Amino acid sequence: MKLQQVKIYHLKMPMNFTFTTSFGSMDEKELLVIEATDEDGTVGYGECVAFVAPWYTEETVKTSLHMLEDFLIPMLLGKVLHHPDEVSELFSSIRMNNMAKASIEGAIWDIYCQQTKQSLAQALGGEKTCIDVGIAIGLQPTKEALLQAVKHAIDQGYGRIKVKIKPGADIEVIKTIRQVYKDVPLMADANAAYTLDDIEHLQQLDAYQLLMIEQPLAYDDIVEHATLQRALKTPICLDESIHSLADVKRAVMLGSCQIINVKIGRVGGLTEARKIHDYCYEKNIPIWCGGMLEAGIGRAHNVALTSLPQFTLPGDNSGSAHYWAQDIITPEVEMKDGKITVPTTPGIGYHINKEALAKYTISTKTYK
Ligand code: OSB
Ligand code: MG
């Protein structure tokens, strides 16, 4: 492989719903689509999952553009690569900026898979033919809206419900759902909204058989989560705190969590995500694939990654139609009876819908 050209599409896509977390609300998504062309003409696609504002991690759409344009793309153009695993090694001299790194690494994985005539799932070592998926429900304005959203999700077939919580909208939220749905696999995501002062408060969640509580404490903490985990029966799952396999090892060493949420963008790409998978497989630590409200390309990468065996818990990878009036891939990612079929055709397994891509594009830039 030798990259000859990279084209970045900057998209703005209206969402089907307003997504509210402990930080604030979103009803549209800006994202970058990375179109990389090899010297042999093979074209691969990646998606940058960073948001416009740095509320989840430090990255934004603009910082990603900057990193891609000024550092990452120049490192890759004209460089001979034998395997996509070499990309993260090449990028190791650049600190963090994992979503930017992952976006172009993903496009290179796509090229590699097409050239070697294998699906992305297969190239990563995926075994499942279909994956179980869950849904993430944002904070709702009323109890009625919350129950309505949960009912809709269950009716659609989602096998695991995640709800966002924050101080003032936590125990009641979970209690409201549990009173109606006694057995539904349920979990809560706090997006770093609590501190160790809330230990006793959070212990109330132990009464509701939650699968886990995701990222209760600070976005950059691994140490205090160990204290909280010792005080809770409910398993802790780390999301924001995990940027690498090294972070996973630290969390395991300290007992900061029992479950890991793996996001390709947050950990810097598929190669690092697979390393985390392999480590957790060995240690028998349950993992699942998190979501970043992806458009189709990022979603396709998530589906492929989730086909690996240690992704034993349903991820936040709902079907395209949940998020978008029209996705940018064809066919769209389809969820049926709580499952998504893993594609077997070479590459990411979906085609780019050029018309939809053009419709949502607000600017493009080409690098050669
Ligand atoms: O914390 O997992 C999170 C969305 C954006 C940023 C962070 C998170 C989320 C989700 C939604 O929970 C997952 C999805 O449906 O893509
Ligand atoms: Mg989360």
Side-chain angles (χ1 to χ4, degrees):
M1 273 178 293
K2 196 163 140 190
L3 282 200
Q4 200 172 55
Q5 179 184 298
V6 178
K7 182 170 178 183
I8 300 183
Y9 299 75
H10 184 167
L11 275 63
K12 193 187 270 197
M13 295 176 69
M15 291 164 52
N16 284 343
F17 52 88
T18 301
F19 192 67
T20 305
T21 70
S22 54
F23 305 101
S25 295
M26 273 176 74
D27 58 9
E28 62 177 18
K29 174 131 200 224
E30 282 188 35
L31 60 120
L32 304 175
V33 167
I34 313 297
E35 181 186 78
T37 308
D38 189 58
E39 62 176 354
D40 75 354
T42 309
V43 179
Y45 287 93
E47 176 173 330
C48 183
V49 299
F51 302 113
V52 285
W55 54 264
Y56 171 72
T57 65
E58 80 291 350
E59 291 183 272
T60 68
V61 173
K62 277 193 190 165
T63 68
S64 304
L65 265 171
H66 161 52
M67 291 308 299
L68 284 159
E69 171 164 289
D70 294 331
F71 296 98
L72 305 175
I73 293 173
M75 284 176 98
L76 286 171
L77 279 176
K79 177 111 191 157
V80 177
L81 296 170
H82 304 283
H83 191 277
D85 283 345
E86 293 162 23
V87 176
S88 55
E89 235 172 84
L90 208 65
F91 287 168
S92 65
S93 62
I94 294 173
R95 300 289 177 243
M96 296 294 283
N97 291 285
N98 285 351
M99 295 177 190
K101 289 175 178 171
S103 66
I104 187 146
E105 192 229 44
I108 290 168
W109 271 99
D110 186 16
I111 291 176
Y112 171 77
C113 291
Q114 292 175 57
Q115 289 175 341
T116 54
K117 299 194 169 44
Q118 51 185 336
S119 68
L120 180 56
Q122 196 181 357
L124 292 168
E127 295 170 356
K128 300 177 209 165
T129 54
C130 70
I131 59 169
D132 293 319
V133 296
I135 190 170
I137 296 174
L139 287 157
Q140 301 295 318
T142 62
K143 260 188 182 183
E144 291 68 34
L146 173 67
L147 285 174
Q148 180 58 39
V150 172
K151 179 179 189 305
H152 187 58
I154 292 171
D155 289 348
Q156 283 179 289
Y158 287 103
R160 183 228 64 185
I161 308 290
K162 157 170 147 181
V163 285
K164 295 288 185 182
I165 57 169
K166 68 172 185 182
D170 43 30
I171 314 300
E172 270 307 302
V173 165
I174 298 301
K175 192 173 165 187
T176 299
I177 299 171
R178 267 289 175 250
Q179 278 172 346
V180 182
Y181 303 100
K182 303 221 164 2
D183 301 314
V184 72
L186 181 65
M187 59 177 285
D189 186 356
N191 287 111
Y194 297 90
T195 71
L196 281 182
D197 292 341
D198 301 309
I199 289 186
E200 278 175 32
H201 181 72
L202 291 172
Q203 280 172 331
Q204 296 176 72
L205 290 173
D206 282 343
Y208 299 97
Q209 308 98 48
L210 297 182
L211 290 170
M212 69 194 89
I213 176 168
E214 189 179 339
Q215 196 73 32
L217 305 180
Y219 75 94
D220 58 350
D221 172 74
I222 293 184
V223 175
E224 293 183 354
H225 277 96
T227 302
L228 179 62
Q229 181 65 92
R230 281 192 292 276
L232 288 184
K233 290 199 192 77
T234 306
I236 291 177
C237 169
L238 288 181
D239 174 355
E240 282 90 328
S241 300
I242 302 294
H243 304 281
S244 61
L245 173 59
D247 283 341
V248 172
K249 288 181 177 173
R250 291 175 188 124
V252 171
M253 191 189 297
L254 293 173
S256 315
C257 66
Q258 299 178 39
I259 298 168
I260 304 280
N261 170 335
V262 180
K263 290 187 185 174
I264 300 167
R266 173 167 39 69
V267 304
L270 285 164
T271 296
E272 191 72 11
R274 185 174 58 177
K275 284 185 190 164
I276 292 171
H277 168 274
D278 293 352
Y279 175 80
C280 291
Y281 183 85
E282 198 125 295
K283 297 266 179 195
N284 202 19
I285 298 160
I287 61 177
W288 55 279
C289 182
M292 288 289 285
L293 310 164
E294 286 91 346
I297 296 164
R299 201 160 293 287
H301 282 87
N302 287 345
V303 170
L305 180 67
T306 307
S307 73
L308 274 70
Q310 194 59 20
F311 284 88
T312 52
L313 295 163
D316 280 342
N317 206 26
S318 312
S320 299
H322 170 57
Y323 305 86
W324 317 113
Q326 185 184 22
D327 204 344
I328 56 170
I329 51 166
T330 174
E332 297 196 347
V333 174
E334 198 194 341
M335 188 285 295
K336 212 170 159 243
D337 302 326
K339 293 179 191 301
I340 291 172
T341 302
V342 180
T344 53
T345 51
I348 64 170
Y350 300 87
H351 294 288
I352 305 308
N353 181 338
K354 290 278 170 66
E355 209 177 297
L357 180 65
K359 182 170 91 179
Y360 296 124
T361 296
I362 52 178
S363 67
T364 66
K365 201 160 172 188
T366 304
Y367 308 85
K368 308 184 191 242

